[in-house]
Structure formats: structure tokens, C-alpha cells
Amino acid sequence: MSRAFVKEDGGERWTPPTQPHAYRVVWPGPAGAEVVHETDDFLGALRWLAARERPGFELRDRAGALLATAA
């Protein structure tokens, strides 16, 4: 296999970067914030957030502004 398609440090295949989504659901866990869901659909993001049984999830926009939380 050509080295052009393999990452140098891990031997993994190269994957193109993903397009940033407009909204993301973040879990602010003890190890730091983790993005658990991304979408471009605002209402879909609110529905996904409302379906979580645990409080603490945050809905943020692309710039990182807090839009909603799961309480």
C-alpha cells in the first residue's frame, strides 16, 4: 500500500475531514467536553436532546454558543 494513504503515526487509512455541522450536542464529562451528536437540523437536534434520559447535555452552535441544555 502506498504511504500516501496511511497516517504516519498509527498506520491507519487516511480519511477526509468532515464538514462542520451547524449544531452539536456536547456532554461536559469529567474528562472534558465530548461531542456526542452533530447535525444541521435545529429541531432535530432539540428532539435528540429531549430524548436523552440523563441531564447535562448541551446544545451548541458552530461557534460554541450555548443554545439549550437537557435538564
Side-chain angles (χ1 to χ4, degrees), residues 13-47:
R13 293 185 66 84
W14 179 84
T15 56
T18 59
Q19 293 293 331
H21 293 282
Y23 307 103
R24 61 181 181 244
V25 178
V26 177
W27 171 252
E34 177 184 350
V35 177
V36 293
H37 182 71
E38 290 185 288
T39 184
D40 290 322
D41 179 20
F42 180 69
L43 292 178
L46 288 175
R47 287 185 193 109

PDB file of all heavy atoms in Angstrom, residues 13-47:
ATOM      1  N   ARG A  13      -5.740   4.189   7.748  1.00  0.00           N
ATOM      2  CA  ARG A  13      -6.036   4.781   6.445  1.00  0.00           C
ATOM      3  C   ARG A  13      -6.463   6.232   6.614  1.00  0.00           C
ATOM      4  O   ARG A  13      -7.128   6.581   7.572  1.00  0.00           O
ATOM      5  CB  ARG A  13      -7.131   3.999   5.733  1.00  0.00           C
ATOM      6  CG  ARG A  13      -6.675   2.611   5.345  1.00  0.00           C
ATOM      7  CD  ARG A  13      -7.726   1.899   4.534  1.00  0.00           C
ATOM      8  NE  ARG A  13      -7.959   2.496   3.236  1.00  0.00           N
ATOM      9  CZ  ARG A  13      -7.254   2.258   2.139  1.00  0.00           C
ATOM     10  NH1 ARG A  13      -6.233   1.425   2.201  1.00  0.00           N
ATOM     11  NH2 ARG A  13      -7.549   2.825   1.001  1.00  0.00           N
ATOM     12  N   TRP A  14      -6.090   7.059   5.666  1.00  0.00           N
ATOM     13  CA  TRP A  14      -6.444   8.472   5.684  1.00  0.00           C
ATOM     14  C   TRP A  14      -7.919   8.624   5.379  1.00  0.00           C
ATOM     15  O   TRP A  14      -8.472   7.970   4.501  1.00  0.00           O
ATOM     16  CB  TRP A  14      -5.618   9.221   4.638  1.00  0.00           C
ATOM     17  CG  TRP A  14      -5.956  10.675   4.583  1.00  0.00           C
ATOM     18  CD1 TRP A  14      -5.462  11.647   5.384  1.00  0.00           C
ATOM     19  CD2 TRP A  14      -6.855  11.311   3.678  1.00  0.00           C
ATOM     20  NE1 TRP A  14      -5.993  12.852   5.034  1.00  0.00           N
ATOM     21  CE2 TRP A  14      -6.855  12.671   3.980  1.00  0.00           C
ATOM     22  CE3 TRP A  14      -7.660  10.864   2.645  1.00  0.00           C
ATOM     23  CZ2 TRP A  14      -7.626  13.598   3.299  1.00  0.00           C
ATOM     24  CZ3 TRP A  14      -8.434  11.784   1.955  1.00  0.00           C
ATOM     25  CH2 TRP A  14      -8.411  13.126   2.288  1.00  0.00           C
ATOM     26  N   THR A  15      -8.594   9.478   6.112  1.00  0.00           N
ATOM     27  CA  THR A  15      -9.988   9.803   5.840  1.00  0.00           C
ATOM     28  C   THR A  15     -10.091  11.311   5.673  1.00  0.00           C
ATOM     29  O   THR A  15      -9.434  12.064   6.404  1.00  0.00           O
ATOM     30  CB  THR A  15     -10.913   9.345   6.978  1.00  0.00           C
ATOM     31  OG1 THR A  15     -10.450   9.928   8.203  1.00  0.00           O
ATOM     32  CG2 THR A  15     -10.921   7.833   7.108  1.00  0.00           C
ATOM     33  N   PRO A  16     -10.899  11.770   4.735  1.00  0.00           N
ATOM     34  CA  PRO A  16     -11.014  13.213   4.527  1.00  0.00           C
ATOM     35  C   PRO A  16     -11.697  13.862   5.728  1.00  0.00           C
ATOM     36  O   PRO A  16     -12.490  13.226   6.416  1.00  0.00           O
ATOM     37  CB  PRO A  16     -11.878  13.321   3.268  1.00  0.00           C
ATOM     38  CG  PRO A  16     -12.617  12.041   3.193  1.00  0.00           C
ATOM     39  CD  PRO A  16     -11.736  11.013   3.825  1.00  0.00           C
ATOM     40  N   PRO A  17     -11.392  15.122   5.986  1.00  0.00           N
ATOM     41  CA  PRO A  17     -12.044  15.811   7.107  1.00  0.00           C
ATOM     42  C   PRO A  17     -13.532  15.967   6.840  1.00  0.00           C
ATOM     43  O   PRO A  17     -13.957  16.114   5.689  1.00  0.00           O
ATOM     44  CB  PRO A  17     -11.344  17.167   7.159  1.00  0.00           C
ATOM     45  CG  PRO A  17     -10.670  17.320   5.844  1.00  0.00           C
ATOM     46  CD  PRO A  17     -10.442  15.954   5.289  1.00  0.00           C
ATOM     47  N   THR A  18     -14.320  15.923   7.895  1.00  0.00           N
ATOM     48  CA  THR A  18     -15.765  16.065   7.758  1.00  0.00           C
ATOM     49  C   THR A  18     -16.146  17.534   7.718  1.00  0.00           C
ATOM     50  O   THR A  18     -15.430  18.387   8.260  1.00  0.00           O
ATOM     51  CB  THR A  18     -16.494  15.389   8.922  1.00  0.00           C
ATOM     52  OG1 THR A  18     -16.046  16.003  10.136  1.00  0.00           O
ATOM     53  CG2 THR A  18     -16.213  13.902   8.967  1.00  0.00           C
ATOM     54  N   GLN A  19     -17.264  17.826   7.103  1.00  0.00           N
ATOM     55  CA  GLN A  19     -17.764  19.186   7.073  1.00  0.00           C
ATOM     56  C   GLN A  19     -18.326  19.541   8.445  1.00  0.00           C
ATOM     57  O   GLN A  19     -19.008  18.735   9.057  1.00  0.00           O
ATOM     58  CB  GLN A  19     -18.869  19.318   6.020  1.00  0.00           C
ATOM     59  CG  GLN A  19     -18.390  19.160   4.603  1.00  0.00           C
ATOM     60  CD  GLN A  19     -17.482  20.305   4.181  1.00  0.00           C
ATOM     61  OE1 GLN A  19     -17.616  21.420   4.667  1.00  0.00           O
ATOM     62  NE2 GLN A  19     -16.558  20.027   3.295  1.00  0.00           N
ATOM     63  N   PRO A  20     -18.055  20.732   8.948  1.00  0.00           N
ATOM     64  CA  PRO A  20     -18.610  21.116  10.249  1.00  0.00           C
ATOM     65  C   PRO A  20     -20.125  21.285  10.151  1.00  0.00           C
ATOM     66  O   PRO A  20     -20.639  21.791   9.156  1.00  0.00           O
ATOM     67  CB  PRO A  20     -17.919  22.445  10.559  1.00  0.00           C
ATOM     68  CG  PRO A  20     -17.452  22.964   9.248  1.00  0.00           C
ATOM     69  CD  PRO A  20     -17.223  21.772   8.369  1.00  0.00           C
ATOM     70  N   HIS A  21     -20.823  20.824  11.165  1.00  0.00           N
ATOM     71  CA  HIS A  21     -22.271  20.954  11.209  1.00  0.00           C
ATOM     72  C   HIS A  21     -22.648  22.218  11.970  1.00  0.00           C
ATOM     73  O   HIS A  21     -21.860  22.761  12.745  1.00  0.00           O
ATOM     74  CB  HIS A  21     -22.887  19.734  11.879  1.00  0.00           C
ATOM     75  CG  HIS A  21     -22.714  18.484  11.063  1.00  0.00           C
ATOM     76  ND1 HIS A  21     -23.488  18.194   9.971  1.00  0.00           N
ATOM     77  CD2 HIS A  21     -21.855  17.462  11.185  1.00  0.00           C
ATOM     78  CE1 HIS A  21     -23.109  17.055   9.456  1.00  0.00           C
ATOM     79  NE2 HIS A  21     -22.105  16.581  10.168  1.00  0.00           N
ATOM     80  N   ALA A  22     -23.884  22.663  11.769  1.00  0.00           N
ATOM     81  CA  ALA A  22     -24.345  23.895  12.395  1.00  0.00           C
ATOM     82  C   ALA A  22     -24.572  23.730  13.891  1.00  0.00           C
ATOM     83  O   ALA A  22     -24.382  24.669  14.656  1.00  0.00           O
ATOM     84  CB  ALA A  22     -25.625  24.369  11.714  1.00  0.00           C
ATOM     85  N   TYR A  23     -24.986  22.532  14.322  1.00  0.00           N
ATOM     86  CA  TYR A  23     -25.309  22.304  15.732  1.00  0.00           C
ATOM     87  C   TYR A  23     -24.648  21.033  16.220  1.00  0.00           C
ATOM     88  O   TYR A  23     -24.501  20.082  15.468  1.00  0.00           O
ATOM     89  CB  TYR A  23     -26.829  22.196  15.918  1.00  0.00           C
ATOM     90  CG  TYR A  23     -27.558  23.363  15.340  1.00  0.00           C
ATOM     91  CD1 TYR A  23     -28.220  23.260  14.122  1.00  0.00           C
ATOM     92  CD2 TYR A  23     -27.570  24.595  15.985  1.00  0.00           C
ATOM     93  CE1 TYR A  23     -28.869  24.340  13.569  1.00  0.00           C
ATOM     94  CE2 TYR A  23     -28.219  25.688  15.442  1.00  0.00           C
ATOM     95  CZ  TYR A  23     -28.869  25.552  14.231  1.00  0.00           C
ATOM     96  OH  TYR A  23     -29.503  26.626  13.679  1.00  0.00           O
ATOM     97  N   ARG A  24     -24.297  21.029  17.506  1.00  0.00           N
ATOM     98  CA  ARG A  24     -23.729  19.816  18.090  1.00  0.00           C
ATOM     99  C   ARG A  24     -24.206  19.692  19.530  1.00  0.00           C
ATOM    100  O   ARG A  24     -24.384  20.681  20.237  1.00  0.00           O
ATOM    101  CB  ARG A  24     -22.222  19.818  18.004  1.00  0.00           C
ATOM    102  CG  ARG A  24     -21.548  20.923  18.727  1.00  0.00           C
ATOM    103  CD  ARG A  24     -20.041  20.848  18.554  1.00  0.00           C
ATOM    104  NE  ARG A  24     -19.446  21.928  19.306  1.00  0.00           N
ATOM    105  CZ  ARG A  24     -18.771  22.908  18.775  1.00  0.00           C
ATOM    106  NH1 ARG A  24     -18.557  22.939  17.493  1.00  0.00           N
ATOM    107  NH2 ARG A  24     -18.279  23.853  19.531  1.00  0.00           N
ATOM    108  N   VAL A  25     -24.407  18.447  19.935  1.00  0.00           N
ATOM    109  CA  VAL A  25     -24.772  18.149  21.311  1.00  0.00           C
ATOM    110  C   VAL A  25     -23.496  17.721  22.017  1.00  0.00           C
ATOM    111  O   VAL A  25     -22.775  16.853  21.545  1.00  0.00           O
ATOM    112  CB  VAL A  25     -25.846  17.046  21.387  1.00  0.00           C
ATOM    113  CG1 VAL A  25     -26.174  16.731  22.836  1.00  0.00           C
ATOM    114  CG2 VAL A  25     -27.104  17.475  20.636  1.00  0.00           C
ATOM    115  N   VAL A  26     -23.241  18.347  23.147  1.00  0.00           N
ATOM    116  CA  VAL A  26     -21.989  18.145  23.883  1.00  0.00           C
ATOM    117  C   VAL A  26     -22.304  17.560  25.258  1.00  0.00           C
ATOM    118  O   VAL A  26     -23.266  17.977  25.913  1.00  0.00           O
ATOM    119  CB  VAL A  26     -21.244  19.493  24.039  1.00  0.00           C
ATOM    120  CG1 VAL A  26     -19.978  19.339  24.857  1.00  0.00           C
ATOM    121  CG2 VAL A  26     -20.946  20.091  22.682  1.00  0.00           C
ATOM    122  N   TRP A  27     -21.495  16.588  25.673  1.00  0.00           N
ATOM    123  CA  TRP A  27     -21.570  16.049  27.028  1.00  0.00           C
ATOM    124  C   TRP A  27     -20.362  16.582  27.782  1.00  0.00           C
ATOM    125  O   TRP A  27     -19.230  16.201  27.484  1.00  0.00           O
ATOM    126  CB  TRP A  27     -21.567  14.526  27.007  1.00  0.00           C
ATOM    127  CG  TRP A  27     -21.426  13.925  28.361  1.00  0.00           C
ATOM    128  CD1 TRP A  27     -20.330  13.296  28.865  1.00  0.00           C
ATOM    129  CD2 TRP A  27     -22.400  13.909  29.397  1.00  0.00           C
ATOM    130  NE1 TRP A  27     -20.576  12.888  30.138  1.00  0.00           N
ATOM    131  CE2 TRP A  27     -21.839  13.254  30.499  1.00  0.00           C
ATOM    132  CE3 TRP A  27     -23.701  14.394  29.499  1.00  0.00           C
ATOM    133  CZ2 TRP A  27     -22.533  13.063  31.687  1.00  0.00           C
ATOM    134  CZ3 TRP A  27     -24.386  14.207  30.682  1.00  0.00           C
ATOM    135  CH2 TRP A  27     -23.803  13.543  31.751  1.00  0.00           C
ATOM    136  N   PRO A  28     -20.555  17.457  28.765  1.00  0.00           N
ATOM    137  CA  PRO A  28     -19.418  18.003  29.521  1.00  0.00           C
ATOM    138  C   PRO A  28     -18.997  17.050  30.633  1.00  0.00           C
ATOM    139  O   PRO A  28     -19.258  17.283  31.799  1.00  0.00           O
ATOM    140  CB  PRO A  28     -19.955  19.323  30.058  1.00  0.00           C
ATOM    141  CG  PRO A  28     -21.420  19.090  30.200  1.00  0.00           C
ATOM    142  CD  PRO A  28     -21.804  18.113  29.118  1.00  0.00           C
ATOM    143  N   GLY A  29     -18.376  15.966  30.282  1.00  0.00           N
ATOM    144  CA  GLY A  29     -17.982  14.942  31.242  1.00  0.00           C
ATOM    145  C   GLY A  29     -16.748  15.322  32.041  1.00  0.00           C
ATOM    146  O   GLY A  29     -16.155  16.382  31.839  1.00  0.00           O
ATOM    147  N   PRO A  30     -16.337  14.435  32.954  1.00  0.00           N
ATOM    148  CA  PRO A  30     -15.180  14.722  33.808  1.00  0.00           C
ATOM    149  C   PRO A  30     -13.860  14.801  33.040  1.00  0.00           C
ATOM    150  O   PRO A  30     -12.926  15.458  33.481  1.00  0.00           O
ATOM    151  CB  PRO A  30     -15.167  13.550  34.800  1.00  0.00           C
ATOM    152  CG  PRO A  30     -15.948  12.476  34.138  1.00  0.00           C
ATOM    153  CD  PRO A  30     -16.945  13.153  33.246  1.00  0.00           C
ATOM    154  N   ALA A  31     -13.777  14.150  31.902  1.00  0.00           N
ATOM    155  CA  ALA A  31     -12.549  14.182  31.102  1.00  0.00           C
ATOM    156  C   ALA A  31     -12.549  15.326  30.088  1.00  0.00           C
ATOM    157  O   ALA A  31     -11.667  15.415  29.253  1.00  0.00           O
ATOM    158  CB  ALA A  31     -12.363  12.853  30.378  1.00  0.00           C
ATOM    159  N   GLY A  32     -13.554  16.189  30.141  1.00  0.00           N
ATOM    160  CA  GLY A  32     -13.656  17.298  29.201  1.00  0.00           C
ATOM    161  C   GLY A  32     -14.881  17.140  28.321  1.00  0.00           C
ATOM    162  O   GLY A  32     -15.553  16.109  28.338  1.00  0.00           O
ATOM    163  N   ALA A  33     -15.195  18.159  27.571  1.00  0.00           N
ATOM    164  CA  ALA A  33     -16.375  18.149  26.714  1.00  0.00           C
ATOM    165  C   ALA A  33     -16.206  17.172  25.558  1.00  0.00           C
ATOM    166  O   ALA A  33     -15.145  17.107  24.944  1.00  0.00           O
ATOM    167  CB  ALA A  33     -16.641  19.548  26.173  1.00  0.00           C
ATOM    168  N   GLU A  34     -17.257  16.410  25.288  1.00  0.00           N
ATOM    169  CA  GLU A  34     -17.237  15.429  24.211  1.00  0.00           C
ATOM    170  C   GLU A  34     -18.461  15.639  23.325  1.00  0.00           C
ATOM    171  O   GLU A  34     -19.585  15.688  23.814  1.00  0.00           O
ATOM    172  CB  GLU A  34     -17.266  14.020  24.797  1.00  0.00           C
ATOM    173  CG  GLU A  34     -17.332  12.933  23.769  1.00  0.00           C
ATOM    174  CD  GLU A  34     -17.446  11.554  24.402  1.00  0.00           C
ATOM    175  OE1 GLU A  34     -17.286  11.426  25.620  1.00  0.00           O
ATOM    176  OE2 GLU A  34     -17.713  10.612  23.644  1.00  0.00           O
ATOM    177  N   VAL A  35     -18.247  15.790  22.022  1.00  0.00           N
ATOM    178  CA  VAL A  35     -19.355  15.934  21.073  1.00  0.00           C
ATOM    179  C   VAL A  35     -19.967  14.558  20.853  1.00  0.00           C
ATOM    180  O   VAL A  35     -19.288  13.625  20.437  1.00  0.00           O
ATOM    181  CB  VAL A  35     -18.873  16.541  19.742  1.00  0.00           C
ATOM    182  CG1 VAL A  35     -20.009  16.619  18.748  1.00  0.00           C
ATOM    183  CG2 VAL A  35     -18.270  17.920  19.971  1.00  0.00           C
ATOM    184  N   VAL A  36     -21.267  14.429  21.146  1.00  0.00           N
ATOM    185  CA  VAL A  36     -21.930  13.133  21.020  1.00  0.00           C
ATOM    186  C   VAL A  36     -22.896  13.073  19.841  1.00  0.00           C
ATOM    187  O   VAL A  36     -23.314  11.992  19.438  1.00  0.00           O
ATOM    188  CB  VAL A  36     -22.670  12.757  22.322  1.00  0.00           C
ATOM    189  CG1 VAL A  36     -21.683  12.518  23.441  1.00  0.00           C
ATOM    190  CG2 VAL A  36     -23.676  13.822  22.718  1.00  0.00           C
ATOM    191  N   HIS A  37     -23.267  14.229  19.283  1.00  0.00           N
ATOM    192  CA  HIS A  37     -24.178  14.252  18.130  1.00  0.00           C
ATOM    193  C   HIS A  37     -23.989  15.569  17.389  1.00  0.00           C
ATOM    194  O   HIS A  37     -23.865  16.618  18.010  1.00  0.00           O
ATOM    195  CB  HIS A  37     -25.630  14.115  18.622  1.00  0.00           C
ATOM    196  CG  HIS A  37     -26.644  14.073  17.534  1.00  0.00           C
ATOM    197  ND1 HIS A  37     -26.789  12.993  16.701  1.00  0.00           N
ATOM    198  CD2 HIS A  37     -27.563  14.984  17.140  1.00  0.00           C
ATOM    199  CE1 HIS A  37     -27.768  13.242  15.845  1.00  0.00           C
ATOM    200  NE2 HIS A  37     -28.251  14.438  16.094  1.00  0.00           N
ATOM    201  N   GLU A  38     -23.971  15.506  16.052  1.00  0.00           N
ATOM    202  CA  GLU A  38     -23.857  16.706  15.219  1.00  0.00           C
ATOM    203  C   GLU A  38     -24.907  16.664  14.128  1.00  0.00           C
ATOM    204  O   GLU A  38     -25.208  15.594  13.597  1.00  0.00           O
ATOM    205  CB  GLU A  38     -22.477  16.799  14.575  1.00  0.00           C
ATOM    206  CG  GLU A  38     -21.361  17.091  15.539  1.00  0.00           C
ATOM    207  CD  GLU A  38     -20.044  17.286  14.840  1.00  0.00           C
ATOM    208  OE1 GLU A  38     -19.489  16.286  14.357  1.00  0.00           O
ATOM    209  OE2 GLU A  38     -19.589  18.438  14.764  1.00  0.00           O
ATOM    210  N   THR A  39     -25.458  17.825  13.793  1.00  0.00           N
ATOM    211  CA  THR A  39     -26.480  17.905  12.762  1.00  0.00           C
ATOM    212  C   THR A  39     -26.582  19.335  12.246  1.00  0.00           C
ATOM    213  O   THR A  39     -26.095  20.270  12.878  1.00  0.00           O
ATOM    214  CB  THR A  39     -27.848  17.427  13.304  1.00  0.00           C
ATOM    215  OG1 THR A  39     -28.796  17.426  12.248  1.00  0.00           O
ATOM    216  CG2 THR A  39     -28.339  18.327  14.422  1.00  0.00           C
ATOM    217  N   ASP A  40     -27.255  19.487  11.118  1.00  0.00           N
ATOM    218  CA  ASP A  40     -27.561  20.811  10.589  1.00  0.00           C
ATOM    219  C   ASP A  40     -29.014  21.182  10.828  1.00  0.00           C
ATOM    220  O   ASP A  40     -29.449  22.276  10.490  1.00  0.00           O
ATOM    221  CB  ASP A  40     -27.268  20.856   9.078  1.00  0.00           C
ATOM    222  CG  ASP A  40     -25.781  20.792   8.801  1.00  0.00           C
ATOM    223  OD1 ASP A  40     -25.005  21.387   9.564  1.00  0.00           O
ATOM    224  OD2 ASP A  40     -25.390  20.136   7.821  1.00  0.00           O
ATOM    225  N   ASP A  41     -29.788  20.275  11.409  1.00  0.00           N
ATOM    226  CA  ASP A  41     -31.214  20.458  11.662  1.00  0.00           C
ATOM    227  C   ASP A  41     -31.424  20.869  13.122  1.00  0.00           C
ATOM    228  O   ASP A  41     -31.237  20.068  14.034  1.00  0.00           O
ATOM    229  CB  ASP A  41     -31.951  19.150  11.355  1.00  0.00           C
ATOM    230  CG  ASP A  41     -33.437  19.224  11.610  1.00  0.00           C
ATOM    231  OD1 ASP A  41     -33.979  20.344  11.657  1.00  0.00           O
ATOM    232  OD2 ASP A  41     -34.055  18.158  11.764  1.00  0.00           O
ATOM    233  N   PHE A  42     -31.836  22.112  13.341  1.00  0.00           N
ATOM    234  CA  PHE A  42     -32.012  22.616  14.698  1.00  0.00           C
ATOM    235  C   PHE A  42     -33.098  21.861  15.458  1.00  0.00           C
ATOM    236  O   PHE A  42     -32.898  21.446  16.597  1.00  0.00           O
ATOM    237  CB  PHE A  42     -32.329  24.119  14.669  1.00  0.00           C
ATOM    238  CG  PHE A  42     -32.531  24.714  16.029  1.00  0.00           C
ATOM    239  CD1 PHE A  42     -31.463  24.842  16.905  1.00  0.00           C
ATOM    240  CD2 PHE A  42     -33.769  25.160  16.448  1.00  0.00           C
ATOM    241  CE1 PHE A  42     -31.635  25.383  18.171  1.00  0.00           C
ATOM    242  CE2 PHE A  42     -33.947  25.705  17.703  1.00  0.00           C
ATOM    243  CZ  PHE A  42     -32.879  25.821  18.569  1.00  0.00           C
ATOM    244  N   LEU A  43     -34.250  21.670  14.826  1.00  0.00           N
ATOM    245  CA  LEU A  43     -35.332  20.959  15.500  1.00  0.00           C
ATOM    246  C   LEU A  43     -34.961  19.501  15.764  1.00  0.00           C
ATOM    247  O   LEU A  43     -35.300  18.942  16.811  1.00  0.00           O
ATOM    248  CB  LEU A  43     -36.625  21.045  14.696  1.00  0.00           C
ATOM    249  CG  LEU A  43     -37.251  22.444  14.621  1.00  0.00           C
ATOM    250  CD1 LEU A  43     -38.500  22.419  13.750  1.00  0.00           C
ATOM    251  CD2 LEU A  43     -37.570  22.967  15.998  1.00  0.00           C
ATOM    252  N   GLY A  44     -34.259  18.887  14.838  1.00  0.00           N
ATOM    253  CA  GLY A  44     -33.786  17.522  15.041  1.00  0.00           C
ATOM    254  C   GLY A  44     -32.821  17.438  16.218  1.00  0.00           C
ATOM    255  O   GLY A  44     -32.853  16.477  16.993  1.00  0.00           O
ATOM    256  N   ALA A  45     -31.978  18.440  16.364  1.00  0.00           N
ATOM    257  CA  ALA A  45     -31.044  18.469  17.489  1.00  0.00           C
ATOM    258  C   ALA A  45     -31.791  18.619  18.810  1.00  0.00           C
ATOM    259  O   ALA A  45     -31.451  17.976  19.798  1.00  0.00           O
ATOM    260  CB  ALA A  45     -30.044  19.617  17.316  1.00  0.00           C
ATOM    261  N   LEU A  46     -32.847  19.453  18.826  1.00  0.00           N
ATOM    262  CA  LEU A  46     -33.649  19.604  20.039  1.00  0.00           C
ATOM    263  C   LEU A  46     -34.369  18.306  20.386  1.00  0.00           C
ATOM    264  O   LEU A  46     -34.453  17.925  21.552  1.00  0.00           O
ATOM    265  CB  LEU A  46     -34.651  20.746  19.881  1.00  0.00           C
ATOM    266  CG  LEU A  46     -34.072  22.150  19.903  1.00  0.00           C
ATOM    267  CD1 LEU A  46     -35.169  23.171  19.617  1.00  0.00           C
ATOM    268  CD2 LEU A  46     -33.395  22.441  21.233  1.00  0.00           C
ATOM    269  N   ARG A  47     -34.879  17.621  19.367  1.00  0.00           N
ATOM    270  CA  ARG A  47     -35.548  16.334  19.614  1.00  0.00           C
ATOM    271  C   ARG A  47     -34.559  15.304  20.148  1.00  0.00           C
ATOM    272  O   ARG A  47     -34.878  14.541  21.059  1.00  0.00           O
ATOM    273  CB  ARG A  47     -36.203  15.834  18.334  1.00  0.00           C
ATOM    274  CG  ARG A  47     -37.428  16.608  17.951  1.00  0.00           C
ATOM    275  CD  ARG A  47     -38.102  15.994  16.727  1.00  0.00           C
ATOM    276  NE  ARG A  47     -39.090  16.919  16.211  1.00  0.00           N
ATOM    277  CZ  ARG A  47     -38.970  17.594  15.070  1.00  0.00           C
ATOM    278  NH1 ARG A  47     -37.934  17.409  14.294  1.00  0.00           N
ATOM    279  NH2 ARG A  47     -39.910  18.431  14.696  1.00  0.00           N
TER     280      ARG A  47
END
